[in-house]
Structures are given as structure tokens and as C-alpha cells.
């Protein structure tokens, strides 16, 4: 293993901003795996750090196949994490809205450009990603429908779901999108949580990645086959929305099987304690995403459901 | 007549309302008149438009007999942002100007965005007033996406600004308020002027003069108005030179905004207060005029310090 500084800039009063990578194996640029891009992505940095542990063992045991280089970057944004800011501490811009970056541009454009220059030529790219709404997901692999996405390949992670996302204008500046445009097979890996550590789903994601890399003949690794992934588009998911705002009392969790007519959550009046609204499942299915903030706004998609059973 | 355009209940005993003031000619109810919409406050930290709304309504009300059309004033598209000194929508960490046209069946933010578009749709012209951000001061200017320049440049010339900047199309900007309205054939002009979190009365009055003049040309206003200043129009990306900080530090300007500079003139210093040293002297890379200058002193590597319009572009 070689520990490398991928990108570095100085600051007026802080220690240098450093993006550190861990390189395993030698040869063609096979796999690049990245952790947090935002300051609140604690689960993402944790999962990536555990993957570094796994690769240290794999390398020691000679299980990384010859001719393959694997680069793991657990944190692309230590500054934001250290100051508990979600975005760049000074100008509040989002590095994941700056790709492919611009080396003569503003700070986060430069950071994106500097990092992308190093990671753009890898054959496979994986990012531990997070969602902008507070909530928990079923672990899954997500891809944008750029026209370059390889759905069959995504199934090889053996995670329960592969989710396809229709591109919106603001997606075109994300890492995942640009990786695909630069012909990297790019996958966003979602574990259950973001701001808190969920060890179980971190393990599941790591197993998924190792399973995938074994199938691509990059590492030697034996594990169970995993799930036969179901492919869903984000538009196929059924959203359950709040009509009113208030205290959100969830009765179910992400991953739980639910029946049509079941109460998924209640909205409680925050002053008088009465139940203002029962949120009812319109179908039999599985909770794919569940809001986990104790308050909710109105019109909020607090659950996303995949209809049918596992 | 103040009306609520869109509203949504917040969790604890509060309703979020986006309001507008519709000003009609004397004795008119909602007729089929020409309509101008003045929109501001999509970014909660941009406040220049607050004074523009106040002053425009004040001047109209003073001579209501001269009003011949409908003026809709929307001073706060992002009320929670304005209240909490937040650029985006607090709690969602979202830039409201990346959510349009919104979705009436979508989340709270998308729902509000769709309500705004529905209400402004049908206007004969819309002015969307921005105030840069807290980092940069801008000379009063209008920014136009090249896709809509044929329709918008003639209108922009009437608005009494100093500069019209036609920029290239950009996918990300397809989700702005102005782009959504322009795509619906509501000519929408984006004004950038001043600086975030402050009010520059001189610029605000300049724009109010321009809005009244535009209203006069549209026969919405029958009063006498100013002869608008002749703006510099830039349509070529090469006309504009960007100055980015070569190092982190504290930027101290040595020139004034909208100053004509010769190549190698000193624009400012980046200093290091810990060691009492000048880290970099920022020199003008071209002959030109400084239409954007950094207001907020702390800079990181790459932070924007200013934008220069090349002298040749100004002459053309």
C-alpha cells in the first residue's frame, strides 16, 4: 500500500487542505473508490476506511490480482467535516456540484479538477453517496441514466436493488455523471445512513464491492452470491407524502415489508399532541426510504416504497 | 392589494407565505392590462431588491394616476432564507434558484417554486433582482443567456444599467427561475447589482429609474422618466477576464469598483496578518474596466477577486 496526497492546497490559518489516497496493487488504473465529499457524510468516510482495512489484508495475502491498481480516497473533503459544515466552509459551495472542475476557477472548482485529474482514468469508479433529505435507505447501487450506464454490471454487486435515476440539469456537475461521461463505469453506493454510523449496512456495502471486484477478476475473494438485484427506476418508486407538517412519528423502518392500508407514520400536532394525519401505505411492498427527522414539513416525500415483496 | 401566492404549513404553529403586492391603475379591478412583475429574494442573503421594491411602490403610489398597467411586486421569494440570513432554503440546504420550474406535487420547496412560476407566468415582462453574494460587489448589470438574447437585449437596454453580459448556455442554469420563465415566453431579465447582505441606495435608485422607464416604453407608466444610460454590451466570452486568488490570505483592494485599469496596474494585495507580509500583489492582466470586485476579504486558493471587461470590448 502506498499512502499518497492526491490534492493539497494551503490555507491562511488552517492546516493544509489535503486529500489522501491509499493505493493498492500495481498496473492499470482499475478501481477508484471514494468516501465523503460533504462534511456530514460520516457513514461514507467510515465505510471507506473499513474498506482500506480490507484491502490492507487482501494485499498482504496477495489477493489483489496482478496488473490492477486500486485507489481508495476515504475523504475528499476533510475541511468541511472538521468544521461540521456540509459544504465548503467559506463559500458554502458543494464539491459534488463542481465536476469535472476547472483548474483556473474558484476554490471548489479547483479541488474538483485536481481530484478528477487523478481519478478520471479508472475503469471502475465507486462513490459512497448520500441523499439531501434526512432519512434511511435500503442499501443499493444507484446509477444515472447517461446512456453509458451498465445495468447488468451493477447487478454484480449483489445488493438488493439497482436504482436508475433520470438525469436532471443539476446532476451534470456531479462526480458520478462526469465519471460516466469520461467512460468510467461509475456506481453510487448508498448505505443506510449519512450522519450516523450504521455498521451493518457498511459491511453489506463492503461485501458488495468486494463481490463485484472478484467478479471482475481484480481480487480473489469468496463470499456468498448476494442478492439477485432488482432494477428499479426512481420514477417507479411510490412516494408517500405528508399533507401536513408537525412531529413525525414513524412506525416502520427502511427495509421493512409493509401491507396495503398499513399505517406507516403519524403526524402529531406539536402543540396539542393530537394525531393530525395517518400516513397509509397505498400498496404491499417494501420501505425503500424512510424519513428519520423528528419533524416534517408538509408535501414531503417521507417514504419511498417499492411495490411487491422481496 | 397584497395577495398570498403560495403557502405551506410549517411544523410548529406557523404558515410560510410568499406574498405579492399587485398595484392596479386607479378605479381598475383585475383587468386585461399589460403586466410587469418585479421579483427578488430568491437568495435570502441578497437584499438590494428590498429597497428597489419599496422605492418603486412608493413612487408609483405617489402618482397613481400615471399607472396604466399592472405592477406585481414579489419582494421575498424565500422568506425563511431572508429571515435567517441564509442564501438557500434553510433546513433543506438547497439553492432555490436550482429548483425551477418546480412541481406542484413535489416536496415543499418544489411546490413553492411551482406556485411562483404559475403566478408570474403571463406577465409581459419580469425583472428578477439579485445582489451578487456576500463575497463580490457588482456594478448594476443584466445577465442574459444567449438562448434568449434576441428578445431580451432590447428590453435590457431600457433598464438604465451599466452593463449587459450575454453568457453561454449552461445545463445547470436550466433550473433557474429566469430560464423557466423565458422558456414559457415570459421575457425575464436577471439584474445583478451591489453586494449581499447590504443595500446600495445609489444602485437601487438607478434601477428604479430604469424600471419606470421600461414601464413607460411598455405603456404601463405615463409619467416622465429618465433617458437610460447606454450600457456596455458584451456577447463574447473572451471579453471578460477573471481574477482568481493565487493564494489564501486577506484581500485588500487598492482600486475602486468600475475603475479603468491599465495592464499591470495594482488591483490589490493578498496579505498575511500573522507575519505582516504581502503574499501576492494582484495586477491587472489586461487593459479593462473592473465590473466585479471582491468585497469579503478572506480568500482561499482560487477565490474570485474580480472580473474585468477588456478595454477593446468596451470600445467595440
Amino acid at each position: 500500500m502506498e499512502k499518497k496526497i492526491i490534492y493539497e492546497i494551503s490555507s491562511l490559518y488552517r492546516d493544509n487542505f489535503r486529500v489522501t489516497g491509499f493505493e493498492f496493487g500495481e498496473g492499470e488504473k482499475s478501481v477508484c473508490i471514494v468516501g465523503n465529499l460533504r462534511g456530514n457524510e460520516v457513514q461514507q468516510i467510515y465505510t471507506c476506511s473499513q474498506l482500506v482495512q480490507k484491502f490492507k489484508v487482501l494485499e498482504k495475502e496477495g489477493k489483489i490480482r496482478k496488473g490492477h491498481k486500486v485507489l481508495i480516497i476515504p475523504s475528499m473533503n476533510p475541511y468541511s467535516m472538521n468544521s461540521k459544515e456540509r459544504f465548503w466552509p467559506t463559500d458554502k459551495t458543494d464539491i459534488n456540484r463542481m465536476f469535472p472542475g476547472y483548474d483556473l476557477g474558484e476554490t471548489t472548482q479547483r479541488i474538483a479538477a485536481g481530484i478528477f485529474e487523478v481519478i478520471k482514468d479508472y475503469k471502475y469508479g465507486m462513490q459512497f453517496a448520500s441523499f439531501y433529505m434526512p432519512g434511511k435507505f435500503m442499501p443499493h447501487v444507484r446509477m444515472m441514466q447517461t446512456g453509458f450506464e451498465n445495468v447488468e454490471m451493477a447487478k454484480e454487486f449483489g445488493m438488493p436493488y439497482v436504482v436508475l435515476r433520470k438525469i436532471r440539469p443539476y446532476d451534470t456537475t456531479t462526480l458520478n455523471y462526469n465519471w460516466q461521461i469520461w467512460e468510467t463505469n461509475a456506481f453510487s453506493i448508498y448505505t443506510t445512513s449519512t450522519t450516523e454510523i450504521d455498521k451493518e449496512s457498511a459491511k453489506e456495502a463492503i461485501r458488495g464491492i468486494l463481490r463485484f471486484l472478484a467478479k471482475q477478476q481484480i481480487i480473489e475473494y469468496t463470499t456468498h452470491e448476494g442478492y439477485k438485484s432488482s432494477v428499479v427506476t426512481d420514477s417507479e418508486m411510490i412516494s408517500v407524502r405528508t399533507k401536513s407538517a408537525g412531529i413525525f412519528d414513524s412506525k416502520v423502518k427502511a427495509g421493512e415489508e409493509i401491507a396495503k392500508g398499513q399505517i406507516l407514520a403519524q403526524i402529531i400536532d406539536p402543540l396539542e399532541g393530537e394525531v393530525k394525519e395517518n400516513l397509509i401505505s397505498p400498496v404491499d411492498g417494501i420501505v425503500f426510504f424512510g424519513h428519520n427527522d423528528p419533524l416534517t414539513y408538509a408535501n414531503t416525500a417521507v417514504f419511498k416504497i417499492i411495490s411487491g415483496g422481496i | 392589494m397584497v395577495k398570498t401566492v403560495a403557502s405551506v404549513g410549517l411544523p410548529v404553529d406557523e404558515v410560510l407565505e410568499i406574498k405579492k403586492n399587485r398595484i392596479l391603475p386607479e378605479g381598475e379591478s383585475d383587468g386585461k392590462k399589460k403586466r410587469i412583475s418585479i421579483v427578488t429574494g430568491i437568495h435570502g442573503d441578497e437584499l438590494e431588491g428590498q429597497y428597489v421594491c419599496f422605492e418603486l411602490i412608493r413612487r408609483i403610489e405617489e402618482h397613481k394616476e400615471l399607472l396604466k398597467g399592472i405592477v406585481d411586486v414579489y419582494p421575498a421569494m424565500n422568506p425563511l432564507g431572508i429571515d435567517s440570513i441564509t442564501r438557500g432554503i434553510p433546513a433543506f440546504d438547497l439553492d432555490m434558484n436550482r429548483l425551477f420550474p418546480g412541481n406542484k406535487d413535489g416536496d415543499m420547496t418544489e411546490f413553492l417554486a411551482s406556485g411562483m412560476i404559475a403566478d408570474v407566468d403571463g406577465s409581459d415582462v419580469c425583472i428578477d433582482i439579485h445582489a451578487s453574494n456576500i463575497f463580490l460587489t457588482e456594478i448594476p448589470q443584466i445577465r442574459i443567456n444567449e438562448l434568449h438574447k434576441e428578445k431580451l437585449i432590447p428590453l435590457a437596454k431600457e433598464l438604465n444599467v451599466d452593463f449587459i453580459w450575454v453568457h453561454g448556455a449552461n445545463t445547470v442554469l436550466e433550473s433557474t427561475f429566469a430560464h423557466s420563465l423565458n422558456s414559457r415566453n415570459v421575457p425575464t431579465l436577471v439584474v445583478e447589482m451591489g453586494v449581499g447582505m447590504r443595500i446600495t441606495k445609489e444602485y437601487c435608485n438607478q434601477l428604479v429609474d430604469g424600471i419606470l422607464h421600461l414601464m413607460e416604453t411598455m405603456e404601463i407608466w405615463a409619467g416622465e422618466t429618465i433617458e437610460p444610460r447606454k450600457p456596455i454590451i458584451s456577447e463574447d466570452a473572451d471579453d471578460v477576464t477573471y481574477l482568481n486568488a493565487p493564494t489564501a490570505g486577506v484581500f485588500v483592494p487598492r482600486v475602486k469598483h468600475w475603475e479603468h485599469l491599465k495592464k499591470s496596474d495594482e488591483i490589490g494585495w493578498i496579505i498575511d496578518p500573522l507575519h505582516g507580509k504581502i503574499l501576492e500583489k494582484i495586477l491587472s492582466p489586461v487593459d479593462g474596466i473592473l465590473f466585479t470586485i471582491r468585497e469579503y476579504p478572506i480568500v482561499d486558493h482560487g477565490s474570485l477577486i474580480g472580473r474585468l471587461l477588456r478595454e477593446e470590448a468596451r470600445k467595440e
Side-chain angles (χ1 to χ4, degrees), chain B residues 36-69:
Chain B
I36 184 169
S37 291
I38 312 296
V39 170
T40 193
I42 288 176
H43 290 135
D45 62 349
E46 299 181 12
L47 305 176
E48 303 277 8
Q50 298 301 306
Y51 193 80
V52 175
C53 292
F54 159 78
E55 180 63 10
L56 180 67
I57 296 175
R58 192 190 69 77
R59 289 199 209 174
I60 293 171
E61 292 289 351
E62 214 169 65
H63 291 287
K64 196 70 172 287
E65 72 283 1
L66 301 173
L67 184 65
K68 304 296 170 195

Side-chain angles (χ1 to χ4, degrees), chain A residues 9-13 86-88 90-91 104-107 110 132 168-170 172-173 241 245-246 270-271 296-301, chain B residues 8-13 91-94 98 105-108 110-111 135 171-172 174 244-245 248-250 273 300-304:
Chain A
I9 46 173
S10 60
S11 159
L12 180 60
Y13 293 126
R86 185 159 172 241
F87 299 134
W88 187 248
T90 17
D91 64 13
L104 300 175
E106 295 208 43
T107 316
R110 290 179 185 211
Y132 77 101
R168 299 188 186 191
Y170 52 79
T172 54
T173 50
R241 293 181 182 278
L271 299 186
T296 181
Y297 292 102
N299 301 338
T300 303
Chain B
V8 62
L10 297 177
V12 187
D13 205 12
F92 291 86
D93 252 348
L94 286 176
R98 298 288 180 272
D105 299 316
D107 288 338
M108 176 180 127
E110 294 173 310
F111 168 77
F135 304 106
T171 317
V172 171
E174 286 171 16
N244 295 80
V250 179
D300 290 333
H301 277 265
S303 295
L304 195 62

Side-chain angles (χ1 to χ4, degrees), chain A residues 157-160 211 215 223-229:
Chain A
F157 285 88
M159 291 177 76
R211 184 184 295 126
K215 288 197 173 161
T223 180
H224 62 87
E225 271 298 293
Y227 293 90
K228 191 171 179 299
S229 308

Side-chain angles (χ1 to χ4, degrees), chain A residues 274-302:
Chain A
E274 278 167 25
V275 175
K276 290 168 81 177
E277 187 182 343
N278 284 314
L279 292 165
I280 310 284
S281 179
V283 290
D284 292 341
I286 289 171
V287 179
F288 184 74
F289 169 80
H291 179 91
N292 74 339
D293 193 279
L295 293 177
T296 181
Y297 292 102
N299 301 338
T300 303
V302 284

Side-chain angles (χ1 to χ4, degrees), chain A residues 45-286:
Chain A
I45 191 173
Y46 169 77
T47 311
C48 224
S49 71
Q50 297 306 301
L51 202 57
V52 172
Q53 286 288 310
K54 285 278 181 202
F55 267 89
K56 282 183 180 178
V57 175
L58 287 169
E59 191 172 63
K60 203 171 160 193
E61 292 175 352
K63 289 185 174 170
I64 300 173
R65 290 185 192 270
K66 285 215 176 346
H68 292 288
K69 189 159 76 182
V70 178
L71 174 65
I72 305 179
I73 306 173
S75 179
M76 283 205 191
N77 190 352
Y79 261 26
S80 294
M81 197 162 264
N82 290 335
S83 50
K84 296 225 169 192
E85 293 270 358
R86 185 159 172 241
F87 299 134
W88 187 248
T90 17
D91 64 13
K92 318 297 178 205
T93 53
D94 183 356
I95 298 175
N96 204 24
R97 291 284 180 273
M98 292 294 162
F99 287 96
Y102 176 43
D103 61 354
L104 300 175
E106 295 208 43
T107 316
T108 46
Q109 290 176 307
R110 290 179 185 211
I111 294 169
I115 297 172
F116 197 61
E117 184 56 33
V118 177
I119 67 176
K120 71 178 163 49
D121 297 324
Y122 280 82
K123 191 171 179 192
Y124 305 101
M126 293 157 207
Q127 176 196 358
F128 291 109
S130 75
F131 193 49
Y132 77 101
M133 298 283 280
K136 293 196 169 184
F137 273 111
M138 280 191 78
H140 65 280
V141 180
R142 186 174 289 227
M143 307 173 87
M144 288 189 201
Q145 292 175 298
T146 56
F148 295 103
E149 77 278 7
N150 186 337
V151 179
E152 287 309 308
M153 191 182 272
K155 291 180 182 172
E156 294 179 355
F157 285 88
M159 291 177 76
Y161 292 99
V162 172
V163 177
L164 300 176
R165 177 178 162 81
K166 201 176 150 206
I167 293 170
R168 299 188 186 191
Y170 52 79
D171 288 325
T172 54
T173 50
T174 60
L175 171 60
N176 188 300
Y177 179 89
N178 283 282
W179 248 342
Q180 285 198 42
I181 298 299
W182 263 259
E183 296 181 347
T184 291
N185 292 294
F187 307 97
S188 294
I189 314 290
Y190 282 74
T191 60
T192 301
S193 60
T194 301
T195 55
E196 59 195 71
I197 289 171
D198 182 285
K199 289 186 181 175
E200 272 315 303
S201 72
K203 277 183 194 159
E204 187 170 346
I206 289 168
R207 271 197 301 272
I209 288 176
L210 297 178
R211 184 184 295 126
F212 177 88
L213 296 180
K215 288 197 173 161
Q216 312 312 318
Q217 305 292 321
I218 293 168
I219 59 169
E220 287 173 47
Y221 178 76
T222 324
T223 180
H224 62 87
E225 271 298 293
Y227 293 90
K228 191 171 179 299
S229 308
S230 307
V231 179
V232 263
T233 59
D234 56 355
S235 55
E236 277 170 339
M237 285 188 212
I238 296 158
S239 292
V240 177
R241 293 181 182 278
T242 55
K243 288 194 184 68
S244 49
I247 290 173
F248 179 76
D249 181 13
S250 187
K251 308 291 184 194
V252 293
K253 290 194 174 109
E256 218 171 298
E257 281 195 67
I258 46 168
K260 186 177 175 179
Q262 185 178 336
I263 294 177
L264 303 177
Q266 293 182 316
I267 312 292
I268 296 167
D269 184 297
L271 299 186
E272 297 178 41
E274 278 167 25
V275 175
K276 290 168 81 177
E277 187 182 343
N278 284 314
L279 292 165
I280 310 284
S281 179
V283 290
D284 292 341
I286 289 171

Side-chain angles (χ1 to χ4, degrees), chain B residues 266-278:
Chain B
E266 222 170 72
I267 291 175
W269 294 348
I270 296 180
I271 57 172
D272 172 358
L274 180 62
H275 299 97
K277 291 263 181 344
I278 299 170

